[in-house]
Amino acid sequence: QVQLVESGGGLVQAGGSLRLSCAASGRTFSTKAMGWFRQAPGKEREFVATIAWSGGGTYYADSSKGRFTIFRDTAKNTVPLQMNILKPEDTAVYYCAQSTRVLSTSPRDFDYWGQGTQVTVSS
């Protein structure tokens, strides 16, 4: 129903910044929430941040608070994730996802996923 494409990943030094972007197309009108998740090698996929499609309320993982910002660019139909003060432990593949049902922090509540973009933070 919806197609999601992440971009903006790359290599940065610790303390640096990156802005990821999730471009959404298709049936975006069915969106209840958009979220960003990440998965490092050997680890489970974990929640990073989410935004309600109606109203724009946001929620962040504890590890994201004060460093990451999720928002909605209505004009471009994208959901950026601004990441500041990056740490080596932020290294992971970052995925954007859409929930058609609820605002949630669980990957299980999200229905559609992008292909992921690699973020690598060097020390």
Side-chain angles (χ1 to χ4, degrees):
Q1 290 185 316
V2 66
Q3 291 77 49
L4 306 173
V5 179
E6 302 96 333
S7 62
L11 298 167
V12 294
Q13 282 188 274
S17 299
L18 279 176
R19 179 174 288 193
L20 307 183
S21 183
C22 177
S25 62
R27 298 182 182 180
T28 56
F29 53 81
S30 64
T31 304
K32 301 297 183 183
M34 294 290 294
W36 280 96
F37 297 80
R38 66 188 183 188
Q39 189 164 22
K43 298 180 65 178
E44 295 182 350
R45 189 164 298 186
E46 66 175 346
F47 168 73
V48 176
T50 191
I51 183 168
W53 212 237
S54 180
T58 58
Y59 188 79
Y60 296 90
D62 287 342
S63 60
S64 303
K65 292 178 180 177
R67 300 191 300 129
F68 296 179
T69 303
I70 187 172
F71 60 99
R72 179 182 178 184
D73 188 331
T74 305
K76 299 181 66 175
N77 203 28
T78 61
V79 180
L81 179 71
Q82 178 67 45
M83 305 189 296
N84 299 324
I85 320 175
L86 284 162
K87 306 173 181 179
E89 50 262 46
D90 294 319
T91 296
V93 176
Y94 283 70
Y95 299 89
C96 67
Q98 179 215 44
S99 173
T100 61
R101 291 167 284 124
V102 296
L103 210 190
S104 175
T105 62
S106 173
R108 287 78 202 162
D109 290 322
F110 287 77
D111 306 292
Y112 301 97
W113 296 80
Q115 81 287 352
T117 186
Q118 177 71 48
V119 172
T120 302
V121 184
S122 64
S123 59

